[in-house]
Amino acid sequence: MVYRAIGQLVRYGVGKGLIRSADAVYTYNRLLEILALPGDCKENIESAEAKHTLHELLALLTDDACRRGVIKDTQGSRELFDTRLMGALTPLPSAVADRFAQEYQDSPARATDWFYDFSRDVNYIRADRIRKDIRWRSETEYGALDITVNMSKPEKDPRDIAAAGSAPTRGYPRCLLCSETEGYAGRADFPARQNHRIVPLPLCGEAWGFQYSPYVYYHQHCIILNTRHVPMVIEPRTFDLLFGFLRQFPHFFVGSNADLPIVGGSILSHEHFQGGNYEFPMAKAPVEHPFALDQFPDVSAGIVRWPLSVIRLSGAESEALTAAASHILDIWRGYSDKSADILASTNGEPHNTVTPIARIRDGQYELDIVLRNNRTSGEHPLGIFHPHEEYHHIKKENIGLIEVMGMAILPSRLRGELREIKKAMRENQPSPDPPHADWVKAMTKRYAAANRPMQTMSEAKLETALRAEVGKVFCGVLEDCGVFKRNEAGRRAFGKFIAAISA
């Protein structure tokens, strides 16, 4: 059985164009070595029929390795092992780069489509896990927001955590975004990357790389990374780099997380951007208040109707947008308004930065500049412009680039918790999970007041109602992150800043 599975895996590689037929025996022998198995008849390769999916084959072979003691039966060991198996089928980086360049000659979209399919075929993007993610859209006053409950990232086995804690500290690779991860075998505290490939990408005279995220939160979710391990920074050069990417891949959007803690992403130590072939809710939001930047007559500007504080610039020339964006960034870095709780710095620590997102729309460059501030206070120790405590039962983590644009990335625990809340509501019982108790109580009271008691709803209607309520929470989270609130005082304060950048 196991030999036939190895043969099927080899035939899978041939069928997907990962290896050539002439390399089948060689690959079969490499898999035997990894699995610590003796040889068997060649017919297992030639007669192997595709009876299993890729993920079934990998599970079968990994199960066998666990039974024979080749690897430990933990989640971490299994992931390291099945990635090693796929590494035997994955072409060398130079071959992948050459194929990408070849496809790019036809069109940028063809190149990115091919590389996306390739990343799925080699199981770098684990499609079987991503299919488990729960997704829906919630209507709000700002349009429909994307809500996802992320089931893709597996929970850590306590034994793996213990092994990582006792492992010696290593400095190679320095982080998950370093180019040295390409082909890396992995260890207890670092994922295997034998099936990972990075396409070289020159940007504005600098060496960068292009890859897809293994946990695709949206269609063709890509990462553009500096080949040098340097920290995140938002500066005029950042805008040039974003537009440089768009010139090569006009069908994608691209954006950068902010460069300060709390309002930045999860990796501040390595400069990178994120992009993809997807239109986020914020991109669909209209400009509600146009204004003129007299110093930049070739640039249209306006405030976007969005829960966060967003300035949208557009124009035919990217250089003009870079100049205007740099001007706004420079003023915002030093801008304070105590009436809006905005202080540029305290005790020499800077607080103001931006999250920029660029795209091409109708032949014009467009740049959204999201104003961010990471100051904390006694009342809000995690951040004044961060999800407030009332929403922590749903979302407590930093609000980075993806969520700024209107897509909630919610923890996997919510799947079970929402199921238990539904059950309690149907039985007219309080929430079984204390963190959700106040939320459920208020929600139940509100629906009862509207003559729509939740305990009498059908299963489908209750599910719809709960999802809508989660969407409202995420909308509130985004409003918390807005530096200029969407009330009269906040609009006046935003107007003062617009006057400052327009002078």
Side-chain angles (χ1 to χ4, degrees):
M1 178 66 173
V2 67
Y3 287 105
R4 288 191 176 276
I6 298 171
Q8 287 181 45
L9 187 56
V10 171
R11 298 311 305 171
Y12 169 87
V14 173
K16 292 294 185 180
L18 305 177
I19 61 173
R20 297 180 181 181
S21 296
D23 298 324
V25 172
Y26 170 83
T27 305
Y28 184 79
N29 286 330
R30 285 194 65 194
L31 292 169
L32 289 176
E33 177 186 359
I34 294 168
L35 287 154
L37 286 168
D40 196 54
C41 60
K42 181 181 177 183
E43 284 72 23
N44 282 322
I45 308 173
E46 298 170 345
S47 63
E49 297 180 10
K51 295 182 178 179
H52 300 282
T53 66
L54 171 63
H55 311 102
E56 290 170 342
L57 286 173
L58 291 174
L60 191 155
L61 294 173
T62 303
D63 287 345
D64 175 75
C66 289
R67 281 193 297 269
R68 292 185 293 109
V70 176
I71 61 169
K72 293 179 180 179
D73 191 6
T74 70
Q75 183 67 34
S77 295
R78 294 174 71 93
E79 288 199 13
L80 292 172
F81 189 76
D82 72 13
T83 303
R84 187 181 175 196
L85 292 174
M86 288 308 300
L89 275 67
T90 305
L92 290 173
S94 58
V96 174
D98 288 347
R99 176 66 184 274
F100 186 89
Q102 178 185 341
E103 299 292 341
Y104 189 90
Q105 292 301 311
D106 185 81
S107 76
R110 179 159 179 164
T112 53
D113 287 349
W114 171 81
F115 191 41
Y116 186 71
D117 290 341
F118 170 86
S119 299
R120 291 165 61 96
D121 291 343
V122 298
N123 208 40
Y124 180 69
I125 295 174
R126 293 178 178 257
D128 60 322
R129 288 185 182 161
I130 293 161
R131 280 193 291 268
K132 298 176 183 177
D133 288 350
I134 303 168
R135 301 173 181 271
W136 71 89
R137 287 185 172 171
S138 285
E139 288 296 334
T140 72
E141 62 178 292
Y142 308 103
L145 300 179
D146 294 332
I147 312 294
T148 69
V149 178
N150 176 30
M151 307 298 296
S152 303
K153 291 185 179 179
E155 292 192 18
K156 288 280 188 179
D157 187 304
R159 293 166 292 178
D160 293 325
I161 295 172
S166 61
T169 301
R170 305 179 189 181
Y172 182 89
R174 295 178 68 178
C175 79
L176 289 168
L177 296 180
C178 281
S179 55
E180 291 80 11
T181 59
E182 194 174 33
Y184 185 63
R187 55 181 190 263
D189 61 344
F190 203 100
R193 289 290 187 257
Q194 290 101 324
N195 59 347
H196 175 39
R197 296 295 178 263
I198 303 171
V199 173
L201 179 67
L203 279 182
C204 303
E206 299 180 21
W208 286 64
F210 175 89
Q211 67 172 69
Y212 283 109
S213 166
Y215 304 106
V216 286
Y217 293 134
Y218 50 87
H219 186 53
Q220 295 190 351
H221 178 187
C222 68
I223 300 173
I224 304 99
L225 52 95
N226 195 325
T227 56
R228 297 182 301 126
H229 183 79
V230 294
M232 293 289 293
V233 61
I234 302 294
E235 57 187 3
R237 162 183 159 276
T238 306
F239 308 129
D240 280 333
L241 290 167
L242 296 179
F243 291 129
F245 178 83
L246 290 181
R247 281 190 286 274
Q248 296 183 62
F249 302 97
H251 59 299
F252 272 29
F253 83 89
V254 63
S256 175
N257 267 306
D259 55 354
L260 295 178
I262 298 177
V263 294
S266 58
I267 300 179
L268 291 173
S269 61
H270 194 122
E271 187 177 31
H272 68 285
F273 308 135
Q274 295 182 75
N277 191 0
Y278 187 77
E279 186 176 37
F280 277 85
M282 190 175 79
K284 302 174 186 176
V287 168
E288 64 178 355
H289 177 63
F291 61 89
L293 291 171
D294 293 339
Q295 297 181 55
F296 308 96
D298 296 330
V299 175
S300 298
I303 296 173
V304 179
R305 191 173 189 276
W306 194 244
L308 287 95
S309 307
V310 186
I311 294 172
R312 178 169 293 163
L313 306 178
S314 61
E317 301 296 333
S318 64
E319 293 82 1
L321 264 68
T322 291
S326 301
H327 169 71
I328 294 171
L329 174 64
D330 183 56
I331 292 178
W332 176 245
R333 288 285 195 192
Y335 189 83
S336 293
D337 183 347
K338 290 184 179 180
S339 70
D341 275 333
I342 297 168
L343 296 181
S345 64
T346 53
N347 301 318
E349 178 187 352
H351 296 307
N352 288 351
T353 185
V354 303
T355 300
I357 302 104
R359 65 187 74 87
I360 293 177
R361 191 197 301 270
D362 299 329
Q364 298 267 308
Y365 288 103
E366 195 169 88
L367 181 68
D368 286 348
I369 303 172
V370 187
L371 305 176
R372 312 298 302 275
N373 178 286
N374 76 342
R375 194 165 71 88
T376 61
S377 68
E379 182 182 2
H380 301 295
L382 296 182
I384 297 171
F385 304 105
H386 177 84
H388 290 176
E389 190 173 0
E390 64 180 300
Y391 299 134
H392 286 181
H393 65 104
I394 296 290
K395 181 68 180 179
K396 185 178 182 179
E397 298 80 9
N398 294 352
I399 300 303
L401 172 68
I402 294 172
E403 288 171 314
V404 160
M405 295 186 291
M407 177 179 285
I409 310 296
L410 303 179
S412 60
R413 62 174 171 81
L414 277 179
R415 181 183 185 181
E417 291 171 3
L418 292 176
R419 188 188 303 123
E420 291 301 312
I421 288 172
K422 278 196 300 182
K423 181 181 177 183
M425 283 182 162
R426 296 300 301 275
E427 297 173 356
N428 202 22
Q429 297 293 322
S431 171
D433 195 346
H436 295 298
D438 291 343
W439 178 57
V440 171
K441 185 177 179 180
M443 186 194 323
T444 305
K445 184 177 181 180
R446 189 162 15 93
Y447 274 77
N451 293 319
R452 296 175 60 202
M454 300 187 89
Q455 61 267 29
T456 63
M457 289 183 178
S458 67
E459 181 76 15
K461 287 186 176 180
L462 185 54
E463 176 74 17
T464 299
L466 267 179
R467 289 187 171 192
E469 293 298 319
V470 171
K472 290 177 183 177
V473 169
F474 179 57
C475 186
V477 162
L478 296 183
E479 289 177 331
D480 281 350
C481 297
V483 293
F484 297 113
K485 302 307 178 187
R486 292 190 60 81
N487 53 32
E488 190 57 37
R491 291 187 180 92
R492 284 197 303 270
F494 206 166
K496 285 166 57 180
F497 178 70
I498 297 303
I501 64 175
S502 302

